[in-house]
């Protein structure tokens, strides 16, 4: 039942919220996930590990993040170590996680935190750091410093929607969801509560086929009572993403390949790429200027990649040039066998795979 339903049955909202937290935390104490960045029971969380994991987990899954987190922690075990690392190394190790502005902000944030001698321990202070938005600040404040904060990620949104039978799509109901989450957030065990809500959404109140029979909140869930748990949250209609076109040139020189670094700001900023044309809806893949004079072979199948706001289709042109050919301005030669160590975004890894095939 919702807090409003509980009130009609004689329970005050504060009592209903306390019961909710008590049930959830009892479940969490028995079934909490073991994650590389999560402190063991009774141990204090490491703010550096919490911050690093939360930044990595934005728009990414736990399974995808685990290996990246382990690599970062092995290379840079303290925030001071990350702050002192060359930007190129950070971008290289981030390659494949996507949303590369996060990596630039991560490095900038590490430098600022190292200079001030540690992380701020309040939401307000954390919000002032590069790349730390409202959700990340709340998560770090709660998990690392046990501050009362309203932590609402995608898993928590789904739990709140079902508990309260919110019929609007999540994107249209965010203020209501946050208010309801706030009403349920306790003043103690704040970090455990935040992680318990995340775990509940990730393991029990899943997007499909929620395991209601195992849920500690099942008897208070309005969606389950109405048999709506499989249809909520309501799906929002996704706008169609426009298509952009472009060309990319994979040029070999012996055992080397031609690359360049994208500008620091903007899409894929600071990442390594193969030379190519601009990407736009009216792109002319056949008329793009070649980086070097050579006999280019166009691959039959283009490389396609989806970004947040558009779809991209790149025509791939492959060529070989003579030994000793200098790189054009803004480009450089790197060992083709070492491309895995370059800061190549997923798109350019697709290009390399297509050219190799």
């Amino acid at each position: 039942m919702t807090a409003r339903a509980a009130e009609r049955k004689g329970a005050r909202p504060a009592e209903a919220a306390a019961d909710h937290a008590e049930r959830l935390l009892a479940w969490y104490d028995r079934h909490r996930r073991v994650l590389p960045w999560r402190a063991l029971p009774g141990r204090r969380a490491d703010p550096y590990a919490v911050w690093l994991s939360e930044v990595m987990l934005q728009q990414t899954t736990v399974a995808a993040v685990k290996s990246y987190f382990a690599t970062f922690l092995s290379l840079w075990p303290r925030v001071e170590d990350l702050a002192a690392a060359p930007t190129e190394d950070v971008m290289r190790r981030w390659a494949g996680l996507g949303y590369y502005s996060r990596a630039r902000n991560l490095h900038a944030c590490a430098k600022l935190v190292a200079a001030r001698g540690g992380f701020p321990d309040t939401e307000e202070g954390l919000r002032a750091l590069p790349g730390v938005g409202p959700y990340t600040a709340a998560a770090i404040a709660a998990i690392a410093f046990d501050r009362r904060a309203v932590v609402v990620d995608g898993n928590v949104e789904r739990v709140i929607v079902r508990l309260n039978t919110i019929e609007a799509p999540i994107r249209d109901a965010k203020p209501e969801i946050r208010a309801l989450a706030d009403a349920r957030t306790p003043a103690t065990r704040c970090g455990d509560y935040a992680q318990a809500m995340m775990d509940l959404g990730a393991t029990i109140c899943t997007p499909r086929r929620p395991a209601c029979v195992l849920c500690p909140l099942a008897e208070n869930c309005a969606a389950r009572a109405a048999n709506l748990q499989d249809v909520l949250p309501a799906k929002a209609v996704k706008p169609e993403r426009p298509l952009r076109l472009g060309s990319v040139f994979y040029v070999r020189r012996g055992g080397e390949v031609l690359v360049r670094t994208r500008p620091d700001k903007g899409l894929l900023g600071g990442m390594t790429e193969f030379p190519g044309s601009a990407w736009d809806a009216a792109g002319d893949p056949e008329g793009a200027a070649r980086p070097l004079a050579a006999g280019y072979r166009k691959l039959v199948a283009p490389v396609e990649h989806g970004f947040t706001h558009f779809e991209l289709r790149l025509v791939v042109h492959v060529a070989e040039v003579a030994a000793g050919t200098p790189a054009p301005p803004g480009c450089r030669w790197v060992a083709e066998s070492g491309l895995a160590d370059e800061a190549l975004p997923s798109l350019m890894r697709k290009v390399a795979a297509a050219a190799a095939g």
Side-chain angles (χ1 to χ4, degrees):
M1 75 184 90
T2 67
R4 290 187 293 274
E7 189 174 14
R8 286 196 297 271
K9 291 191 175 186
R12 297 177 182 177
E15 293 171 347
D19 179 68
H20 161 90
E22 183 178 351
R23 288 171 179 267
L24 183 63
L25 287 167
W27 170 83
Y28 179 71
D29 289 339
R30 296 191 301 271
H31 302 291
R32 57 187 287 153
R33 288 182 293 176
V34 177
L35 298 172
W37 46 83
R38 181 173 285 179
L40 295 174
R43 299 279 186 88
R44 186 172 181 176
D46 176 8
Y48 174 55
V50 174
W51 163 74
L52 184 60
S53 66
E54 287 297 339
V55 174
M56 287 185 168
L57 285 164
Q58 294 169 19
Q59 306 293 327
T60 317
T61 65
V62 166
V65 163
K66 284 182 177 179
S67 63
Y68 284 88
F69 179 83
T71 297
F72 267 68
L73 218 60
S74 66
L75 291 172
W76 307 298
R78 304 174 307 145
V79 70
E80 293 83 4
D81 301 319
L82 180 58
T87 301
E88 297 77 12
D89 288 354
V90 176
M91 300 300 289
R92 185 179 296 116
R93 296 299 179 178
W94 187 274
L97 266 179
Y99 297 89
Y100 295 98
S101 60
R102 291 183 298 162
R104 296 193 299 274
N105 285 330
L106 182 88
H107 200 208
C109 184
K111 291 179 179 179
L112 187 59
V113 170
R116 73 182 299 278
F119 286 89
D121 63 358
T122 65
E123 279 190 81
E124 182 181 7
L126 290 161
R127 284 285 304 273
L129 298 175
V132 177
Y135 162 76
T136 305
I140 298 170
I143 298 169
F145 301 108
D146 210 32
R147 299 277 191 180
R148 187 190 184 279
V150 184
V151 183
V152 184
D153 70 350
N155 285 315
V156 176
E157 287 177 331
R158 185 167 58 256
V159 171
I160 294 295
V161 162
R162 286 175 175 158
L163 285 173
N164 297 276
T165 55
I166 298 173
E167 297 181 0
I170 286 176
R171 71 181 184 191
D172 299 327
K174 287 185 180 288
E176 181 182 5
I177 291 170
R178 179 177 173 79
L180 289 166
D182 190 2
R184 292 174 180 268
T185 300
T188 59
R189 294 192 66 185
C190 306
D192 285 345
Y193 176 82
Q195 292 172 111
M197 285 289 282
M198 294 176 192
D199 280 10
L200 187 71
T203 64
I204 301 294
C205 196
T206 51
R208 296 181 181 178
R209 298 179 182 175
C212 297
V213 69
L214 301 176
C215 181
L217 307 178
E219 67 180 64
N220 296 325
C221 179
R224 183 171 186 255
N227 198 29
L228 294 174
Q229 66 271 21
D230 290 319
V231 297
L232 294 178
K235 291 181 173 57
V237 177
K238 293 184 178 180
E240 186 175 346
R241 291 184 291 189
L243 176 65
R244 297 184 186 179
L245 307 172
S247 293
V248 63
F249 302 96
Y250 194 90
V251 185
R252 293 187 178 95
R253 186 184 71 173
E256 298 175 313
V257 63
L258 190 66
V259 300
R260 66 187 181 190
T261 300
R262 291 179 65 87
D264 286 340
K265 295 188 183 290
L267 187 64
L268 305 182
M271 302 301 291
T272 302
E273 68 172 359
F274 306 111
S277 69
W279 308 336
D280 57 61
D284 179 10
E286 303 302 327
R290 275 58 174 158
L292 288 169
Y296 288 88
R297 172 175 58 90
K298 183 177 77 172
L299 300 188
V300 174
V303 166
E304 298 183 340
H305 190 77
F307 289 97
T308 304
H309 300 298
F310 67 93
E311 297 285 340
L312 177 65
R313 183 179 299 153
L314 289 181
V315 175
V316 182
H317 303 268
V318 179
E320 295 269 357
V321 296
T325 301
C331 296
R332 64 185 187 279
W333 296 105
V334 299
E336 190 170 22
S337 60
L339 280 177
D341 296 324
E342 288 289 329
L344 289 176
S346 300
L347 167 62
M348 291 299 152
R349 293 184 188 275
K350 289 182 182 180
V351 172

